[in-house]
Amino acid sequence: MNETAAPRTAPLRARAEIDLAALRANVRTLRAHAPGAAVMAVVKSDGYGHGAVPCARAAVEAGASWLGTATPEEALALRAAGLTGRIMCWLWTPGGPWREAVEAGLDVSVGGMWALREVTEAARDARTPARVQLKADTGLGRGGCQPGEDWAELVGAALRAEREGLVRVTGLWSHFACADEPGHPSIAAQLTRFREMVTYAEGRGVRPEVRHIANSPAMLTLPESHFDLVRTGIALYGISPNPEIGSPADFGLRPVMTLSASIALVKHVPGGHGVSYGHHYVTPGETTLGLVPVGYADGIPRHASGTGPVLVDGKWRTVAGRVAMDQFVVDLGGDEPGPGAQAVLFGPGDRGEPTAEDWAQAAGTIAYEIVTRIGTRVPRVYVNE
Ligand SMILES: Cc1ncc(COP(=O)(O)O)c(C=O)c1O
């Protein structure tokens, strides 16, 4: 059975509750942080694990005027779901679905000559101009066009294609390397490089609708990076890009996902009892153990073995021993929560539960990875739609 199709009222092994009112409020907060810029809701990777389509709809309702995805397939799925506004996608490989993207009116990122050639060809076949956003590598050292000769060649070719009616250059854009470390010297260097590359392109005749470089950390901490549009992912879902720059509450944001599971079993064990694979936890004395029926197949990081926090019966417990594929154990210290008791792995944190950030710290990763990895076996339950 596909658990994601489980009716809302059925008792669930596990659930990721998605609070769409929180998401809408986050979008409104972000709009207030960047009053002069449009907001792009980044819903790649299934809305960072929250569900791309419901989150996209809620974000648009709350005033996001753009949606952003990595892959064209993600963007086409949004279009197919009836999202009619501007949608941009940026992670292309040769032979990608350029024609479908052009026909669907997507804004596509082009960071090199091969991509410009493929999109131009698709536009010719589709007899529709492609909406192209030229991507500059201003210092991230990942995707995008290098400054200098490469940029001059790409801008020149895009303008020629525009004159032929094959493309419309709708945007000039880039992406930060270290925006989550305010004061990092690369931030100012990238801004300077971005301005230079935009000035060059505009000087040659490009008339972009939007110029953009800011992700969540830049939009929250660096107003001069807002330009015409801010691309916000993690902040939309109510998570701080880096706890060192502020908590969600500091920025007026509220976490959207609450992950919980029904305790499957509570049992008494003597002291000295090994727990889970490898016996990395041994009960220090007579105690009760609770079985939490989610594991690394559900996206619970195995790296949180022995460290992940869980709220059960009003108290924080810690993953005892290894996280297995489908389940892990917590030491309940003699408590005996009744049948149907809930283990809350993470949520907004204001009902005593841990947060995704707590799990990130327990697993030695970032909260982005915690929410994005929650697997398809965990039903998303939407509240406050
Ligand atoms: C190109 C691009 N823009 C924006 C974002 C959103 O970043 P954040 O989640 O930090 O807002 C991402 C996500 O990694 C991205 O790849």
Side-chain angles (χ1 to χ4, degrees):
M1 189 186 91
N2 174 6
E3 286 186 53
T4 58
R8 243 170 103 153
T9 48
L12 295 172
R13 171 186 69 100
R15 53 194 262 155
E17 189 175 289
I18 309 298
D19 180 354
L20 292 173
L23 188 135
R24 287 191 299 269
N26 292 338
V27 172
R28 288 191 287 268
T29 300
L30 295 174
R31 289 178 65 202
H33 276 284
V39 169
M40 175 188 286
V42 178
V43 294
K44 62 190 173 132
S45 195
D46 202 23
Y48 288 39
H50 296 66
V53 170
C55 291
R57 286 201 184 112
V60 168
E61 268 167 41
S65 43
W66 287 74
L67 297 169
T69 69
T71 70
E73 290 78 9
E74 292 172 319
L76 288 166
L78 293 175
R79 206 38 114 229
L83 287 143
T84 54
R86 299 297 283 269
I87 305 176
M88 175 179 175
C89 55
W90 47 76
L91 190 59
W92 285 89
T93 45
W98 296 104
R99 177 149 180 191
E100 291 89 328
V102 171
E103 287 175 344
L106 305 181
D107 282 64
V108 302
S109 173
V110 163
M113 290 298 292
W114 71 266
L116 187 65
R117 276 192 290 273
E118 293 202 4
V119 75
T120 309
E121 189 101 331
R124 206 186 303 275
D125 292 345
R127 297 169 187 275
T128 308
R131 286 179 179 152
V132 165
Q133 302 218 7
L134 300 180
K135 180 170 190 194
D137 186 350
T138 53
L140 172 59
R142 205 173 67 177
C145 183
Q146 287 297 112
E149 280 176 21
D150 289 357
W151 185 241
E153 184 188 19
L154 184 64
V155 166
L159 283 167
R160 281 194 299 281
E162 195 164 59
R163 281 195 291 273
E164 282 180 61
L166 294 171
V167 312
R168 162 91 189 92
V169 182
T170 54
L172 298 171
W173 77 290
S174 189
H175 193 40
F176 279 116
C178 310
D180 57 344
E181 296 174 51
H184 192 286
S186 68
I187 296 173
Q190 281 198 257
L191 272 178
T192 303
R193 179 66 52 77
F194 185 55
R195 286 197 190 95
E196 286 165 3
M197 292 173 85
V198 166
T199 302
Y200 174 82
E202 292 183 341
R204 292 284 307 274
V206 174
R207 294 287 171 265
E209 287 172 49
V210 284
R211 296 155 297 178
H212 49 110
I213 186 169
N215 52 2
S216 294
M219 88 79 73
L220 292 169
T221 64
L222 199 66
E224 63 268 41
S225 71
H226 293 173
F227 293 90
D228 306 308
L229 175 69
V230 292
R231 302 188 308 273
T232 53
I234 200 71
L236 194 67
Y237 308 103
I239 294 173
S240 170
N242 175 357
E244 286 174 24
I245 63 174
S247 68
D250 291 336
F251 296 117
L253 301 169
R254 181 172 172 80
V256 170
M257 184 189 292
T258 298
L259 181 67
S260 59
S262 297
I263 299 275
L265 172 72
V266 175
K267 64 182 180 182
H268 288 265
V269 294
H273 201 301
V275 175
S276 192
Y277 294 130
H279 280 180
H280 291 278
Y281 183 77
V282 177
T283 53
E286 199 183 320
T287 191
T288 45
L289 298 178
L291 184 65
V292 182
V294 285
Y296 59 77
D298 300 296
I300 309 307
R302 191 167 176 273
H303 273 88
S305 296
T307 56
V310 186
L311 181 74
V312 183
D313 218 10
K315 291 186 203 155
W316 276 37
R317 328 280 176 162
T318 305
V319 176
R322 282 208 180 128
V323 173
M325 187 182 290
D326 313 303
Q327 45 195 298
F328 66 82
V329 174
V330 287
D331 188 335
L332 296 170
D335 293 344
E336 289 184 62
Q342 292 294 298
V344 184
L345 284 79
F346 59 83
D350 53 5
R351 292 164 297 203
E353 74 279 19
T355 62
E357 185 54 49
D358 292 316
W359 272 83
Q361 281 173 21
T365 184
I366 52 176
Y368 289 73
E369 191 178 355
I370 298 296
V371 288
T372 303
R373 287 173 62 106
I374 299 307
T376 51
R377 205 167 63 167
V378 177
R380 272 54 172 180
V381 176
Y382 293 93
V383 297
N384 298 323
E385 287 181 78

